[in-house]
């Protein structure tokens, strides 16, 4: 699987903003430049796109492990050489360690993405390559694991996207949509009251959206420097 996709989907699943991403790389002793980070976050074909090297995704996952599990004394993250590759199996293993996932957690995450796998099949991905029961992990497994993580850690975002109508996904024109309250027999509504209620709901929605945008599974993230 393309490492750009892994980095992008993992960041989305765990709500990791640029500031937090750079701090995670720092934990792995790597000074990530914001311009390069933005370049590897792009999709193929987009202007300014750069491929995410095996070294980079490896350092990010190692930094994520240190962030969640702490640094092990006398053990530093391994920096991959130019010809060394990080396989799908190793990507899954590092995610598992970073998130403290057990077999049941990974199976559950895959099930959230409608991907069924047995415990023995999952275990085969984490065997040593020379083990007779070792099985290389395909892109589909990694892709579904990341999708399952999105549904696990950001259930509100996946539900709202799934329930959204086609018009709801279009960029906002900047003008508020006209909302007409339903009329009920035997009741009257004051225009002032209705307007006040709508403004209150809008304000609360904006506050909640802003709060979610700057939070992650680790809590509140530092604000991005301008």
């Amino acid at each position: 699987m393309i490492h750009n996709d892994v980095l992008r989907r993992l960041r989305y699943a765990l709500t990791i903003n640029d500031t937090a991403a750079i701090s995670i790389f720092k934990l792995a002793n790597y000074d990530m430049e914001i311009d390069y980070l933005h370049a590897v976050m792009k999709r193929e074909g987009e202007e300014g796109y750069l491929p995410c090297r095996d070294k980079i995704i490896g350092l990010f996952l190692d930094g994520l492990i240190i962030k969640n599990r702490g640094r092990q004394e006398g053990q530093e993250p391994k920096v991959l050489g130019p010809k060394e590759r990080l396989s799908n199996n190793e990507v899954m293993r590092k995610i598992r360690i970073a998130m403290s996932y057990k077999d049941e957690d990974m199976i559950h995450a895959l099930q959230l993405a409608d991907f069924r796998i047995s415990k023995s099949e999952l275990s085969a991905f984490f065997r040593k390559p020379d083990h007779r029961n070792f099985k290389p992990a395909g892109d589909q497994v990694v892709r579904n694991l990341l999708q399952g993580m999105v549904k696990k850690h950001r259930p509100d975002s996946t539900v709202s996207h799934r329930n959204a109508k086609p018009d709801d996904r279009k960029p906002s024109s900047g003008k508020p949509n006209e909302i007409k309250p339903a009329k009920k027999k035997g009741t009257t509504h004051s225009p002032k009251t209705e307007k006040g209620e709508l403004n209150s709901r809008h304000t609360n929605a904006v506050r909640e959206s802003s709060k979610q945008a700057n939070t992650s599974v680790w809590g509140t993230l530092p604000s991005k420097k301008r």
Side-chain angles (χ1 to χ4, degrees):
M1 187 171 175
I2 298 175
H3 295 323
N4 298 65
D5 293 339
V6 175
L7 180 61
R8 184 170 53 251
R9 296 183 189 203
L10 194 56
R11 283 189 61 182
Y12 179 77
L14 302 179
T15 322
I16 300 174
N17 64 13
D18 287 345
T19 303
I22 289 174
S23 69
I24 287 172
F25 277 108
K26 187 71 175 178
L27 290 172
N29 304 321
Y30 183 80
D31 293 323
M32 169 60 74
E33 296 180 359
I34 189 65
D35 290 340
Y36 180 63
L37 178 62
H38 288 169
V40 297
M41 287 296 295
K42 293 180 181 292
R43 301 176 185 275
E44 281 188 286
E46 291 183 337
E47 185 178 356
Y49 165 86
L50 287 175
C52 181
R53 293 172 290 166
D54 296 72
K55 166 188 172 180
I56 297 302
I57 191 63
L59 287 170
F60 181 79
L61 291 171
D62 286 340
L64 192 61
I65 291 173
I66 296 172
K67 173 71 176 178
N68 286 357
R69 304 289 297 271
R71 190 184 300 274
Q72 292 187 1
E73 189 176 351
Q75 228 176 3
E76 292 297 327
K78 178 186 177 184
V79 180
L80 297 178
K83 295 183 179 181
E84 292 184 286
R85 297 291 175 260
L86 195 72
S87 68
N88 284 338
N89 298 64
E90 292 168 318
V91 168
M92 289 181 64
R93 182 180 64 81
K94 287 179 181 290
I95 291 175
R96 176 177 180 147
I97 295 172
M99 303 305 298
S100 299
Y101 283 161
K102 298 179 181 179
D103 287 346
E104 294 75 14
D105 298 318
M106 299 199 77
I107 290 173
H108 176 63
L110 287 164
Q111 286 177 343
L112 289 175
D114 297 324
F115 188 87
R116 299 291 183 269
I117 189 172
S118 68
K119 192 171 182 178
S120 60
E121 289 174 322
L122 179 67
S123 298
F125 295 139
F126 301 109
R127 301 284 187 184
K128 292 184 178 180
D130 58 353
H131 193 282
R132 63 187 182 88
N133 291 329
F134 169 80
K135 183 179 180 180
D139 290 349
Q140 185 182 21
V141 180
V142 180
R143 188 178 298 111
N144 280 289
L145 174 62
L146 294 170
Q147 182 59 32
M149 289 177 67
V150 170
K151 294 185 177 182
K152 176 181 175 66
H153 296 290
R154 300 189 64 172
D156 294 338
S157 65
T158 55
V159 170
S160 61
H161 177 75
R162 183 170 60 250
N163 293 338
K165 297 178 181 178
D167 290 342
D168 296 333
R169 298 193 187 107
K170 293 180 181 178
S172 172
S173 62
K175 299 179 180 180
N177 293 328
E178 183 181 358
I179 302 175
K180 297 181 179 179
K183 293 182 179 179
K184 294 183 180 179
K185 292 183 179 180
T187 60
T188 57
H189 297 276
S190 166
K192 257 184 198 182
T193 303
E194 291 171 354
K195 185 176 180 181
E197 288 176 351
L198 291 174
N199 288 338
S200 177
R201 290 175 190 168
H202 176 72
T203 301
N204 291 337
V206 170
R207 286 174 178 172
E208 184 63 25
S209 175
S210 176
K211 182 181 177 182
Q212 290 180 357
N214 199 40
T215 57
S216 73
V217 292
W218 306 310
T220 303
L221 299 174
S223 301
K224 181 178 178 181
K225 294 181 180 179
R226 295 183 179 275

